[in-house]
């Protein structure tokens, strides 16, 4: 910013020198009726040579300003993308920003910042310096022209502000429709196999065309506003310069103003309006990038700042986990996603969360993982509030199996090895067999997101990965969200035996009888806890009898 400001000031100095040279050269030629005349420079050729040097310096300053602006743009975009992904990784369960929105913001959205840094921002800096310098010079030459410029110049920013309000609203609306189109298209592509199976793929064309048409209409509205506003600012600047020119012309004819001063003022007057006018023109170049940056900032700022000096988490093998009246209420939601959940989990226990779908069981696990902050209540580990812990170190103690486990392109073996990358092939084979994956070859290739695996196979790979973390990476807590869904009875029995054999504490969400019998304690989650109390008690009795 400092460098751009300095180039802007230097450019203003060049403009003033350029106007002085033109005024003296033209008046000298007309006054002497010759290309050789008395004056600061001896001849028209000398003036042209110096003017050429000034033009060269201005071209160099313009290149330098653009180079600095593009470097700044690249730096800021890189930082924003890093911050955006850091925020997403700190809160990967955030449902307010879909993956398609995230992709649009990180690519096309932030790329639009080039217009902001390469055009709008340098012009804004020049608009802050050049008009004032030129006005100060004109005051010393012709006070009447300076007064006209001082009165008419603020009208351009006034109209720019009025246009800017309408432009920002229109650009925000356009961004909303573009995001909606991206989300709609992503949902269609994701669900295309299912739509094709039921013969509904072509039926989605109408909805897609409607969303695309709305996006096109909003884009054309934005372009129309940009062209019209540019014309308004151009007309205003032209009329303002015309006022100066008319008054100067009459005074030259009347003999009240000499030709050299008149030419000097006339050459400088448009340059006083130009930087301010160009700010309005380039504002539209910056609007898309600024709107995308605002959306990026909302994602970044939604992540709660970590404690200044986070504490090391206590060892889970010797620490209790306490949920104390935990409630989670997402902004804009009609009701809490998790309401007044309290329980105490002792070291080494297996605790099952039960309740109806949508009752908040998965939300409770997200709170435990530190992905979601409680709206009220607290979670304590060994007596320390979870908010005060180093969450990265806390998550390293946890082996997690989600409802839809993440998979990367590679092989089954490479995905199991995510749990402990240094594991040997024999260790990978052993944990996969224990998780019920005897029929899964380690070298079996997988496409993006584990394409090629069934739901049950995906969960067996994820469970093997979790077992590897517990045995080789010293994780002390197993967190399971429907780990045996999609498994047959024999494979489920193997998976349950594997969980039981870890010897560490586990928090389980499941509706499967085999896993519920494994629990030392069951906690009902959701609005129907009273209705489930008898079921919970019967499961606990069955579980206790099984362990005896």
């Amino acid at each position: 910013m400092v460098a751009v400001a300095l180039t802007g000031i230097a450019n203003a100095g060049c403009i003033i020198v350029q106007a002085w040279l033109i005024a003296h050269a033209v008046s000298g030629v007309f006054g002497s009726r010759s290309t050789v005349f008395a004056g600061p420079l001896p001849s028209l050729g000398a003036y042209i040579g110096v003017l050429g040097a000034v033009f060269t310096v201005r071209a160099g300053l313009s290149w330098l300003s653009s180079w600095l602006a593009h470097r700044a743009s690249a730096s800021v975009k890189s930082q924003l993308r890093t911050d955006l992904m850091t925020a997403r990784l700190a809160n990967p369960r955030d449902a307010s920003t879909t993956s398609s929105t995230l992709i649009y913001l990180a690519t096309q959205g932030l790329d639009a910042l080039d217009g902001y840094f390469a055009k709008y921002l340098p012009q804004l800096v020049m608009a802050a310096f050049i008009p004032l310098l030129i006005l100060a010079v004109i005051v010393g030459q012709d006070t009447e022209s300076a007064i006209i410029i001082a009165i008419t110049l603020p009208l351009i920013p006034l109209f720019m502000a009025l246009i800017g309000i309408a432009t920002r609203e229109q650009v925000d609306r356009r961004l909303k429709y573009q995001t909606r189109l991206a989300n709609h298209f992503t949902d269609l592509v994701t669900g295309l196999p299912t739509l094709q199976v039921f013969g509904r793929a072509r039926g989605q064309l109408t909805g897609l065309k409607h969303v695309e048409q709305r996006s096109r209409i909003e884009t054309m509205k934005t372009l129309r506003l940009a062209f019209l506003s540019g014309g308004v600012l151009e007309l205003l600047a032209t009329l303002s310069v015309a006022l100066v020119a008319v008054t100067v012309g009459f005074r030259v004819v009347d003999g009240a103003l000499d030709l050299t001063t008149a030419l000097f003022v006339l050459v400088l007057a448009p340059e006083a309006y130009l930087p301010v006018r160009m700010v309005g023109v380039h504002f539209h170049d910056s609007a898309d990038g600024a709107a995308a940056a605002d959306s990026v900032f909302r994602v970044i700022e939604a992540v709660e700042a970590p404690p200044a000096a986070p504490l090391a988490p206590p060892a889970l093998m010797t620490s209790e986990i306490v949920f104390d009246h935990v409630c989670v209420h997402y902004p804009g939601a009609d009701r809490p996603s998790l309401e007044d959940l309290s329980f105490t989990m002792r070291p080494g226990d297996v605790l099952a969360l039960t309740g109806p779908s949508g009752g908040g069981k998965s939300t409770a696990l997200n709170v435990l993982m530190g992905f979601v902050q409680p709206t009220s209540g607290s979670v304590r580990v060994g007596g320390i509030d979870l908010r005060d812990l180093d969450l990265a170190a806390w998550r390293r103690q946890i082996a997690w199996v989600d409802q839809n486990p993440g998979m990367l392109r590679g092989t089954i073996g490479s995905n199991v090895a995510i749990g402990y990358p240094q594991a040997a092939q024999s260790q990978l084979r052993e944990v996969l067999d224990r998780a019920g994956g005897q029929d899964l070859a380690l070298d079996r290739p997988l496409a993006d997101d584990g394409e090629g695996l069934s739901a049950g196979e995906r969960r067996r790979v994820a469970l093997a990965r979790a077992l590897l973390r517990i045995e080789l990476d010293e994780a002390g807590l197993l967190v399971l969200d429907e780990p045996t869904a999609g498994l047959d009875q024999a494979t489920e029995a193997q998976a349950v035996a594997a969980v039981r054999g870890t010897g560490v504490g586990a928090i389980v969400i499941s509706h499967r009888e085999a896993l519920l019998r494994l629990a030392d304690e069951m906690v009902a989650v959701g609005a129907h806890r009273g209705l489930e109390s008898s079921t919970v008690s019967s499961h606990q009795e069955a579980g206790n009898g099984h362990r005896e």
Side-chain angles (χ1 to χ4, degrees), residues 105-421:
L105 291 176
T107 54
Q108 186 179 349
L110 287 181
D111 278 341
L113 280 176
D114 285 334
Y116 180 83
F117 282 97
K119 297 178 181 178
Y120 177 73
L121 196 58
Q123 200 64 53
L124 190 64
V125 172
M126 287 189 282
F129 292 103
I130 292 178
L132 294 178
L133 289 174
I134 291 177
L135 189 59
V137 171
I138 292 177
V139 166
Q141 300 293 318
D142 181 20
T143 306
E144 290 185 30
S145 297
I147 292 173
I148 294 173
I149 293 173
I151 292 173
T152 55
L153 190 61
L155 294 177
I156 297 179
L158 176 63
F159 277 87
M160 279 168 45
L162 297 175
I163 293 169
I165 293 171
T167 300
R168 177 55 58 89
E169 292 175 353
Q170 178 58 39
V171 168
D172 288 343
R173 193 158 52 245
R174 175 174 170 266
L175 178 64
K176 181 183 74 174
Y177 278 103
Q178 278 193 320
T179 303
R180 184 179 298 175
L181 176 61
N183 292 339
H184 190 100
F185 187 74
T186 303
D187 290 343
L188 282 181
V189 171
T190 303
L192 193 58
T194 304
L195 292 170
Q196 191 70 24
V197 166
F198 290 97
R200 298 295 300 165
R202 289 198 169 275
Q204 304 304 311
L205 281 175
T206 302
L208 184 61
K209 287 179 179 178
H210 175 73
V211 176
E212 194 273 338
Q213 179 66 15
R214 287 300 308 170
S215 177
R216 182 191 297 115
I217 290 172
E218 295 303 325
T219 299
M220 294 306 298
K221 284 182 179 179
T222 304
L223 292 174
R224 183 163 57 248
L225 185 61
F227 287 125
L228 290 176
S229 61
V232 169
L233 296 178
E234 189 75 39
L235 178 62
L236 186 60
T238 302
L239 292 175
S240 301
V241 172
L243 284 175
V244 176
V246 169
T247 57
V248 166
F250 277 118
R251 281 184 291 139
V252 169
V253 171
D254 195 40
L257 192 66
D258 64 276
L259 181 60
T260 302
T261 303
L263 289 173
F264 184 60
V265 171
L266 285 176
V267 173
L268 277 183
E271 299 292 346
Y273 295 98
L274 181 64
V276 182
R277 179 166 54 84
M278 294 307 294
V279 168
V281 172
H282 292 317
F283 176 79
H284 300 283
D285 293 322
S286 72
D288 286 345
D294 287 341
S295 299
V296 170
F297 285 135
R298 282 194 290 271
V299 176
I300 294 171
E301 291 164 1
V303 178
E304 187 171 319
L311 303 174
L316 285 172
M317 298 300 290
T318 58
S319 302
E320 289 186 339
I321 297 174
V322 178
F323 272 59
D324 186 9
H325 299 286
V326 173
C327 176
V328 175
H329 196 155
Y330 292 107
D334 296 332
R335 59 185 181 84
S337 298
L338 180 64
E339 189 171 9
D340 197 27
L341 177 62
S342 297
F343 64 81
T344 298
M345 179 182 172
R346 294 178 295 275
D349 276 3
V350 176
L351 183 143
L353 299 180
T354 65
S357 297
K361 301 185 295 297
S362 295
T363 302
L365 294 190
N366 288 331
V367 171
L368 177 67
M369 297 286 292
F371 294 141
V372 175
Q373 296 296 331
T375 308
S376 61
S378 63
V379 179
R380 297 189 298 276
V381 182
I384 305 173
D385 195 309
L386 186 60
R387 290 188 181 94
D388 298 328
L389 296 181
D390 182 344
L391 288 179
W394 164 247
R395 290 168 186 153
R396 281 195 292 270
Q397 295 195 55
I398 298 175
W400 181 36
V401 179
D402 192 22
Q403 282 185 2
N404 185 26
M407 298 288 157
L408 302 178
R409 174 185 286 271
T411 64
I412 287 179
S414 66
N415 276 275
V416 175
I418 292 173
Y420 190 74

Side-chain angles (χ1 to χ4, degrees), residues 88-106:
R88 182 64 169 192
L89 291 174
N91 188 17
R93 313 295 286 179
D94 180 18
S96 63
T97 305
T98 63
S99 59
S100 54
T101 300
L102 195 72
I103 291 167
Y104 172 75
L105 291 176

